[in-house]
Amino acid sequence: MTRTPLMAGNWKMNLDHLEAIATVQKLAQILIDSKHDAATVEAAVLVPFTDIRSVQTIVDADKLPLAYGAQDVSEHDSGAYTGEISAAMLAKLGVTYVAVGHSERREYHGETDAQVNTKVRKLAAAGLTSIVCVGEPLEIRKAGTHVEYTVDSLKGSLADLSADELAKVVVAYEPVWAIGTGEVATPEDAQEVIGAIREAIAQWYGADVAAATRVLYGGSVKSGNVAEIMAKPDIDGALVGGASLDPEEFAKIVILGKTA
Ligand code: PGA
């Protein structure tokens, strides 16, 4: 079973639509100049909602070798939900990926596994792929219960999804203590939890589904550490925050993401 690695840049609340155009053009140009083959490593940028239309326009017009997406979605289809954006609206803009349950959404907006579950269903119904984020805070890591904690959170986030819905899910393991801190988990730490995630998916959905599901690592990934992370057998890519804002650095990460 081969899983195409995915390098997804999570821009968070950075880069307005003009900066987005410049960044995406530069990123795509470096990938094209370096003869990067998107079939070996997929590259995606998860941009602020206000950037999506601009990114769509240049990706489509210039046939850039890049997917793009959003960082959140509403649990609702439409109606009186001021400030929210629906899965159908994102689908209309040609979005491929949407991050769901990022630790910053969980921490600052109280997002729960049950809400994440609803969002994943809405996205799957709209034909979009969720990047479902799970991972433990520092105190759980110190207590040594990070594997159980993370698998349990994933179980709630994926609760009662069909195998067809799961086919529209990428999992991202992001230990909270490693996000934006420069404190990267060791490749062994990441493999320990990601291996356990794949085993749990095998228990829930069977070995074939588990072998086909991509699981990413996220937390202080840079061009200097991505190769050793990608060398681990169960790690299928990275969710990259800070380092994805620099197109040269992110292009390096994409190119180095090629597994042997
Ligand atoms: P970081 O963020 O790469 O800046 O640590 C990762 C993320 O939050 O997705």
Side-chain angles (χ1 to χ4, degrees):
M1 172 60 65
T2 51
R3 299 180 295 267
T4 305
L6 169 63
M7 295 295 164
N10 173 13
W11 287 4
K12 309 192 181 186
M13 196 170 70
N14 295 293
L15 307 182
D16 64 32
H17 75 287
L18 298 174
E19 294 164 330
I21 292 169
T23 303
V24 162
Q25 278 172 333
K26 188 154 185 199
L27 170 62
Q29 198 55 53
I30 299 169
L31 293 176
I32 291 164
D33 289 348
S34 62
K35 307 213 176 343
H36 172 70
D37 177 3
T40 59
V41 183
E42 211 185 326
V45 287
L46 309 180
V47 306
F49 290 131
T50 50
D51 295 357
I52 295 175
R53 178 65 172 161
S54 305
V55 170
Q56 176 193 32
T57 303
I58 55 167
V59 166
D60 283 0
D62 297 334
K63 308 228 170 344
L64 302 182
L66 265 186
Y68 56 91
Q71 303 167 12
D72 188 30
V73 67
S74 177
E75 291 166 73
H76 306 287
D77 289 330
S78 65
Y81 301 101
T82 301
E84 300 211 11
I85 302 290
S86 72
M89 291 170 174
L90 296 175
K92 199 90 176 172
L93 288 168
V95 156
T96 303
Y97 295 106
V98 181
V100 181
H102 188 277
S103 65
E104 287 149 19
R105 301 288 322 165
R106 293 176 186 267
E107 184 178 349
Y108 306 137
H109 302 272
E111 206 159 292
T112 63
D113 292 330
Q115 285 173 300
V116 171
N117 184 252
T118 305
K119 292 180 177 193
V120 172
R121 285 168 196 282
K122 294 293 180 195
L123 289 167
L128 304 185
T129 298
S130 307
I131 300 179
V132 176
C133 305
V134 288
E136 81 285 355
L138 187 58
E139 60 274 19
I140 299 286
R141 166 67 55 166
K142 282 188 175 153
T145 52
H146 46 282
V147 172
E148 298 90 310
Y149 177 97
T150 302
V151 169
D152 193 56
S153 173
L154 186 66
K155 190 174 189 183
S157 301
L158 302 183
D160 299 322
L161 294 188
S162 67
D164 282 350
E165 285 171 318
L166 196 76
K168 301 299 275 178
V169 169
V170 172
V171 178
Y173 168 57
E174 296 207 309
V176 177
W177 48 271
I179 295 177
T181 56
E183 186 85 31
V184 62
T186 65
E188 291 70 32
D189 288 338
Q191 169 61 33
E192 179 196 24
V193 181
I194 290 177
I197 286 173
R198 198 174 304 286
E199 275 171 32
I201 295 174
Q203 270 176 27
W204 303 330
Y205 292 93
D208 288 353
V209 171
T213 304
R214 290 186 290 182
V215 188
L216 316 182
Y217 167 76
S220 300
V221 173
K222 301 185 276 291
S223 60
N225 59 27
V226 68
E228 56 179 3
I229 293 168
M230 289 305 291
K232 293 293 177 193
D234 285 301
I235 304 179
D236 304 317
L239 187 54
V240 184
S244 73
L245 297 173
D246 173 352
E248 281 170 14
E249 171 68 0
F250 188 55
K252 272 191 211 161
I253 292 172
V254 171
I255 291 162
L256 287 165
K258 198 155 117 186
T259 43

